Amino acid sequence: MDTYPKMVMKQLFLLALVGPVLLPYQGVTSQTADNGIRMTHQIQDKTAVITCTVDDIGTRRVIWSKMSDAYPISVGNTKFSPVSRYKIGRSGKSYTLTIKNLQTRDAGAYQCRLTGQVYIAQVLSINFQSGTSGTYTIFLNFGTSGTYLLPTNSTIESSSGSTVILPCHVANIGNKIVLWKSNKDEIISIRKKNYLGDSRFSIVHDRAPEWSLRIKNIRSDDFGIYTCMVNSDPVLTRSVEVINSAPVKSSPVLLQDSHYQKRAMVLAGETVTLTCNFASNPPAEVTWYKKASDGKGKDLIGTGSSVTLQSVTPEQAGDYVCVGDNGQTPKGQGKTVLVVKMPETTTSAITTTFVPHGPASPRVYSQSRVGQIRGHPVTLRCTAVGDPRPSIRWFRNQLEVADSHKYKLDVSTEGRFASVSSLTVLQVVTRDYGEYECVGMNHLGRTMFKIELYEIR
């Protein structure tokens, strides 16, 4: 079987529309072509039903397409075209394409083709002729005089500097003319003559059906959709898109991956690593800055996707900014807030060798100053010794402190004569800084010890 089938144009049907009135239904069945496909059609109430009967389809499938479109109407049982007026069906060996509410834009060549490497197909053309009565004619083509576009790739990948050939193969062109339009809707050529004025563009016509477009030394603005057009009636068109196969340049985008931290917390003296990864092409160079505490400047910290800070001090807390730059705009940016925690500051009970040898009023022992940064807990401790064993109470601004959402109290004993009490401020804020009073009491007396809580900056 020939790769390009022999076609004979034969008019099978003529139906006239007079005003809005459609003539009664008529139908004609074609003769069987030598490739084992029979086509019939019928029209009624502005609906065309084209039937493709295949004697031995085997494992192949029927592809319906309008040959001026770059995509098929359907493949097998799957409809691909978004046109809702197209319906596909099957009954035994017969496959149908139904076009409802026929319109002028439905003019064109419709193909019933079988899948597989051997080209087996039939083409039927719907032509609308001008006139006051508005007539249209249906032709069945299985001969040599019908012009149609052969299937070719609709997408071509290339890269800058390469040469690419955009295929357009026209069967039975006769005296028809091929025209190419550019991705900017400019006329490139008519027949083989270049009208664009760019010598990189030329027509490949090495064999009768081929009217392909060659583009040499592809540039970035050459990528896009080109159109091959044949001035048949109706005009046949085939679109070919040239796609850049090289990775597209892109500006840096911060990846919110497992390595990135919006907020990092570390204990003073420890080591912390801050990481920013960017997706971009070409890869971005990453630079790290630390914002000044007054927000009016920044200090260069280092380069690379990660920076490591060792033996961190409270002075290193603040905003760290990573900037990704690969020459594309905008630059990528991320920010990590570094919080440096001081190890929880507690006061140990001051050990004493005092042991009562009889009734004794309380003696109270503690540290006089305890420091902590804002936003973190702190525990104050004191020890009271006496006979009998003293109780301990805490005061702040002359008011007794009790368990609450802000404070936690704890009391324990040591031996016969000592009580130990701790006061924890669960989260230190500015107003918590100042003096706290630890008071030891028994029936023989009352002793107070002042402890200052100060801010670590």
Side-chain angles (χ1 to χ4, degrees):
M1 183 176 297
D2 294 336
T3 302
Y4 305 105
K6 296 180 179 180
M7 312 292 286
V8 177
M9 175 72 77
K10 181 177 180 181
Q11 180 172 328
L12 296 177
F13 182 74
L14 174 64
L15 179 63
L17 293 176
V18 182
V21 180
L22 189 66
L23 294 181
Y25 158 79
Q26 299 183 45
V28 178
T29 302
S30 76
Q31 298 176 354
T32 303
D34 60 3
N35 58 10
I37 297 179
R38 295 191 306 276
M39 295 191 74
T40 62
H41 72 272
Q42 61 184 33
I43 297 180
Q44 189 174 24
D45 298 329
K46 294 186 179 182
T47 296
V49 180
I50 306 170
T51 302
C52 182
T53 303
V54 184
D55 291 333
D56 182 18
I57 194 168
T59 59
R60 295 168 295 186
R61 298 290 184 268
V62 169
I63 301 174
W64 284 105
S65 60
K66 186 178 181 183
M67 300 188 67
S68 60
D69 292 338
Y71 54 85
I73 294 173
S74 64
V75 178
N77 296 326
T78 303
K79 180 187 169 189
F80 181 80
S81 171
V83 179
S84 60
R85 295 181 298 109
Y86 292 157
K87 304 293 181 184
I88 59 171
R90 177 185 179 182
S91 177
K93 297 181 179 181
S94 297
Y95 300 81
T96 58
L97 169 64
T98 301
I99 309 173
K100 296 183 177 181
N101 187 23
L102 281 171
Q103 301 172 17
T104 304
R105 65 175 179 268
D106 293 324
Y110 292 83
Q111 181 188 69
C112 170
R113 179 187 173 185
L114 302 186
T115 59
Q117 295 183 350
V118 179
Y119 184 87
I120 303 176
Q122 295 297 339
V123 179
L124 179 144
S125 296
I126 300 179
N127 294 336
F128 283 79
Q129 301 174 349
S130 60
T132 56
S133 62
T135 62
Y136 62 86
T137 309
I138 294 184
F139 297 91
L140 186 67
N141 304 325
F142 31 9
T144 57
S145 60
T147 301
Y148 63 96
L149 295 170
L150 293 170
T152 52
N153 290 336
S154 59
T155 302
I156 304 295
E157 291 190 359
S158 184
S159 58
S160 296
S162 301
T163 295
V164 65
I165 294 179
L166 282 58
C168 184
H169 298 168
V170 187
N172 309 316
I173 191 170
N175 62 354
K176 307 296 190 303
I177 297 171
V178 177
L179 177 149
W180 275 96
K181 297 186 76 174
S182 74
N183 58 343
K184 303 176 183 65
D185 206 34
E186 300 170 324
I187 294 176
I188 298 174
S189 64
I190 295 179
R191 292 193 174 97
K192 296 179 67 175
K193 184 173 178 58
N194 185 334
Y195 285 87
L196 191 61
D198 189 336
S199 60
R200 297 180 305 117
F201 293 78
S202 61
I203 298 301
V204 178
H205 186 51
D206 296 337
R207 52 197 177 101
E210 184 170 18
W211 291 88
S212 303
L213 175 66
R214 177 191 288 119
I215 309 175
K216 295 181 179 180
N217 190 22
I218 285 279
R219 299 192 297 237
S220 59
D221 60 348
D222 292 329
F223 297 107
I225 297 176
Y226 294 75
T227 305
C228 173
M229 308 177 72
V230 184
N231 70 335
S232 59
D233 186 12
V235 173
L236 303 177
T237 62
R238 175 66 49 81
S239 295
V240 183
E241 183 175 10
V242 184
I243 297 175
N244 188 357
S245 60
V248 178
K249 290 185 177 181
S250 60
S251 57
V253 176
L254 178 68
L255 297 178
Q256 305 278 344
D257 56 17
S258 59
H259 301 288
Y260 174 66
Q261 303 177 74
K262 291 184 178 180
R263 183 180 178 89
M265 300 185 69
V266 63
L267 289 175
E270 292 185 341
T271 296
V272 64
T273 297
L274 309 180
T275 300
C276 280
N277 291 317
F278 292 91
S280 66
N281 184 54
E285 295 182 357
V286 183
T287 305
W288 285 86
Y289 302 92
K290 181 181 184 298
K291 287 187 176 181
S293 57
D294 59 5
K296 296 181 179 180
K298 59 183 180 181
D299 298 320
L300 177 64
I301 299 300
T303 59
S305 59
S306 299
V307 292
T308 299
L309 307 176
Q310 296 181 339
S311 301
V312 175
T313 64
E315 289 73 26
Q316 291 177 283
D319 294 344
Y320 287 77
V321 177
C322 56
V323 177
D325 185 4
N326 69 342
Q328 306 295 310
T329 56
K331 296 179 181 180
Q333 181 171 299
K335 184 178 79 170
T336 298
V337 179
L338 178 62
V339 178
V340 180
K341 297 173 59 178
M342 294 296 294
E344 181 177 334
T345 303
T346 62
T347 60
S348 299
I350 303 300
T351 59
T352 176
T353 58
F354 172 66
V355 177
H357 294 287
S361 61
R363 296 187 186 184
V364 178
Y365 305 90
S366 184
Q367 294 180 341
S368 59
R369 300 183 78 238
V370 176
Q372 181 60 295
I373 60 176
R374 279 180 292 178
H376 297 277
V378 64
T379 300
L380 312 179
R381 286 192 176 93
C382 74
T383 300
V385 180
D387 185 14
R389 179 192 297 123
S391 61
I392 297 176
R393 299 167 67 183
W394 289 89
F395 293 84
R396 166 77 168 150
N397 297 327
Q398 299 182 348
L399 296 176
E400 185 171 1
V401 177
D403 275 328
S404 66
H405 67 282
K406 186 173 186 60
Y407 301 112
K408 180 181 178 182
L409 294 173
D410 186 51
V411 178
S412 62
T413 61
E414 289 184 356
R416 290 180 52 194
F417 306 111
S419 295
V420 180
S421 180
S422 62
L423 167 62
T424 300
V425 183
L426 299 176
Q427 187 176 34
V428 176
V429 297
T430 301
R431 64 176 179 271
D432 294 324
Y433 295 113
E435 288 187 343
Y436 292 77
E437 297 173 355
C438 173
V439 179
M441 296 177 290
N442 63 16
H443 72 275
L444 297 176
R446 168 189 176 110
T447 304
M448 177 184 67
F449 192 99
K450 291 184 179 182
I451 305 170
E452 179 190 1
L453 175 60
Y454 66 93
E455 181 177 6
I456 297 177
R457 297 180 182 274

Coordinates of all heavy atoms in Angstrom, one line a residue, residues 220-252:
S220 N 16.2 33.2 20.5 CA 15.2 33.1 21.6 C 13.9 33.6 21.1 O 12.8 33.1 21.6 CB 15.7 33.9 22.8 OG 15.9 35.3 22.5
D221 N 13.8 34.6 20.3 CA 12.5 35.2 19.8 C 11.9 34.4 18.7 O 10.8 34.7 18.2 CB 12.6 36.6 19.4 CG 13.6 36.9 18.3 OD1 14.4 35.9 18.0 OD2 13.6 38.0 17.7
D222 N 12.6 33.3 18.3 CA 12.0 32.4 17.2 C 11.1 31.3 17.8 O 10.3 30.7 17.0 CB 13.1 31.7 16.4 CG 14.0 32.7 15.6 OD1 13.4 33.7 15.2 OD2 15.2 32.5 15.4
F223 N 11.2 31.1 19.1 CA 10.3 30.1 19.7 C 8.9 30.5 19.6 O 8.6 31.7 19.9 CB 10.8 29.7 21.1 CG 12.2 29.1 21.1 CD1 13.2 29.9 21.6 CD2 12.4 27.8 20.7 CE1 14.5 29.3 21.7 CE2 13.7 27.3 20.7 CZ 14.7 28.1 21.2
G224 N 8.0 29.6 19.3 CA 6.5 29.9 19.3 C 5.8 29.1 18.2 O 6.3 28.1 17.8
I225 N 4.6 29.6 17.8 CA 3.8 28.8 16.9 C 3.8 29.4 15.5 O 3.6 30.6 15.3 CB 2.3 28.8 17.5 CG1 2.2 28.1 18.8 CG2 1.4 28.2 16.5 CD1 0.9 28.2 19.5
Y226 N 4.1 28.5 14.5 CA 4.1 28.9 13.1 C 3.0 28.1 12.4 O 2.5 27.1 12.9 CB 5.4 28.5 12.5 CG 6.6 29.2 13.1 CD1 7.1 29.0 14.3 CD2 7.2 30.2 12.3 CE1 8.2 29.7 14.8 CE2 8.3 31.0 12.8 CZ 8.8 30.7 14.1 OH 9.9 31.4 14.6
T227 N 2.5 28.7 11.3 CA 1.3 28.2 10.7 C 1.6 28.0 9.2 O 2.0 28.9 8.5 CB 0.1 29.1 10.8 OG1 -0.2 29.3 12.2 CG2 -1.2 28.5 10.2
C228 N 1.3 26.8 8.7 CA 1.4 26.4 7.3 C -0.1 26.5 6.8 O -1.0 25.9 7.4 CB 2.0 25.0 7.1 SG 1.9 24.4 5.4
M229 N -0.3 27.2 5.7 CA -1.6 27.4 5.1 C -1.6 27.1 3.6 O -0.7 27.4 2.9 CB -2.1 28.9 5.3 CG -1.9 29.4 6.8 SD -2.4 31.1 7.0 CE -4.1 31.0 6.8
V230 N -2.7 26.4 3.2 CA -2.9 26.1 1.8 C -4.2 26.7 1.3 O -5.2 26.6 2.0 CB -3.0 24.5 1.6 CG1 -3.1 24.2 0.1 CG2 -1.8 23.9 2.2
N231 N -4.1 27.4 0.2 CA -5.3 28.2 -0.3 C -6.3 27.4 -1.0 O -6.8 27.7 -2.1 CB -4.9 29.4 -1.1 CG -4.3 29.0 -2.5 OD1 -3.8 27.9 -2.6 ND2 -4.4 29.9 -3.4
S232 N -6.7 26.2 -0.4 CA -7.8 25.4 -1.0 C -9.1 26.0 -0.5 O -9.1 27.0 0.2 CB -7.6 23.9 -0.5 OG -7.6 23.9 0.9
D233 N -10.2 25.4 -0.8 CA -11.5 25.9 -0.4 C -12.2 24.7 0.3 O -12.7 23.8 -0.3 CB -12.3 26.3 -1.6 CG -13.6 27.0 -1.2 OD1 -13.8 27.2 0.1 OD2 -14.5 27.2 -2.0
P234 N -12.2 24.7 1.7 CA -11.7 25.8 2.6 C -10.2 25.8 2.7 O -9.5 24.8 2.3 CB -12.4 25.5 3.9 CG -12.5 24.0 3.9 CD -12.8 23.6 2.5
V235 N -9.7 26.9 3.2 CA -8.2 27.0 3.5 C -7.8 26.0 4.5 O -8.4 25.8 5.6 CB -7.8 28.4 3.9 CG1 -6.4 28.5 4.3 CG2 -8.1 29.4 2.9
L236 N -6.7 25.2 4.2 CA -6.2 24.2 5.1 C -5.1 24.9 6.0 O -4.3 25.6 5.4 CB -5.7 23.0 4.4 CG -6.6 22.3 3.5 CD1 -5.9 21.2 2.7 CD2 -7.8 21.8 4.3
T237 N -5.0 24.6 7.2 CA -4.0 25.2 8.1 C -3.4 24.1 9.0 O -4.1 23.2 9.4 CB -4.5 26.3 9.0 OG1 -5.5 25.8 9.9 CG2 -5.1 27.4 8.2
R238 N -2.1 24.2 9.3 CA -1.5 23.3 10.2 C -0.5 24.1 11.1 O 0.3 24.8 10.5 CB -0.7 22.2 9.5 CG 0.1 21.2 10.3 CD -0.8 20.4 11.2 NE -1.8 19.8 10.6 CZ -1.8 18.6 9.9 NH1 -0.6 18.0 9.7 NH2 -2.8 18.1 9.3
S239 N -0.7 24.1 12.4 CA 0.2 24.8 13.3 C 1.3 23.9 13.8 O 1.1 22.7 14.1 CB -0.6 25.4 14.4 OG -1.6 26.3 14.0
V240 N 2.5 24.5 13.9 CA 3.7 23.8 14.4 C 4.3 24.7 15.5 O 4.6 25.8 15.2 CB 4.7 23.4 13.4 CG1 5.8 22.6 14.0 CG2 4.0 22.6 12.2
E241 N 4.5 24.2 16.7 CA 5.1 25.0 17.8 C 6.6 24.6 18.0 O 6.9 23.4 18.1 CB 4.3 24.8 19.1 CG 4.9 25.6 20.2 CD 4.1 25.6 21.5 OE1 3.2 24.7 21.6 OE2 4.3 26.4 22.4
V242 N 7.4 25.6 18.0 CA 8.9 25.4 18.2 C 9.1 25.7 19.7 O 8.9 26.8 20.2 CB 9.7 26.2 17.4 CG1 11.2 25.9 17.6 CG2 9.4 26.0 15.9
I243 N 9.5 24.6 20.5 CA 9.7 24.8 21.9 C 11.2 24.8 22.2 O 12.0 24.0 21.7 CB 9.0 23.6 22.6 CG1 7.5 23.7 22.4 CG2 9.3 23.6 24.1 CD1 6.7 22.5 22.9
N244 N 11.6 25.6 23.2 CA 13.0 25.7 23.6 C 13.3 24.4 24.5 O 12.7 24.3 25.6 CB 13.2 27.0 24.4 CG 14.7 27.2 24.7 OD1 15.5 26.4 24.4 ND2 15.0 28.3 25.3
S245 N 14.2 23.6 24.0 CA 14.5 22.4 24.8 C 15.5 22.7 25.9 O 15.7 21.8 26.8 CB 15.1 21.3 23.8 OG 16.3 21.8 23.2
A246 N 16.1 23.8 25.8 CA 17.1 24.2 26.9 C 16.3 24.7 28.1 O 15.3 25.3 28.0 CB 18.1 25.3 26.4
P247 N 16.9 24.5 29.3 CA 16.2 24.9 30.5 C 16.0 26.5 30.4 O 16.9 27.2 30.0 CB 17.2 24.6 31.6 CG 18.0 23.4 31.1 CD 18.1 23.7 29.6
V248 N 14.8 26.9 30.8 CA 14.5 28.3 30.8 C 15.2 29.0 32.0 O 15.1 28.5 33.1 CB 13.0 28.6 30.8 CG1 12.7 30.0 30.8 CG2 12.4 27.9 29.6
K249 N 15.8 30.2 31.8 CA 16.4 30.9 32.9 C 15.3 31.4 33.8 O 14.2 31.8 33.4 CB 17.2 32.1 32.4 CG 18.5 31.7 31.7 CD 19.3 32.9 31.3 CE 20.6 32.5 30.7 NZ 21.5 33.7 30.3
S250 N 15.5 31.3 35.1 CA 14.5 31.7 36.1 C 15.2 32.4 37.3 O 16.3 32.0 37.7 CB 13.7 30.5 36.6 OG 14.6 29.5 37.2
S251 N 14.5 33.3 37.9 CA 15.1 34.0 39.0 C 15.0 33.2 40.3 O 14.1 32.2 40.3 CB 14.3 35.4 39.3 OG 12.9 35.1 39.4
P252 N 15.8 33.4 41.3 CA 15.8 32.5 42.5 C 14.5 32.6 43.3 O 13.9 33.7 43.5 CB 17.0 33.1 43.3 CG 17.8 33.9 42.3 CD 16.8 34.4 41.3

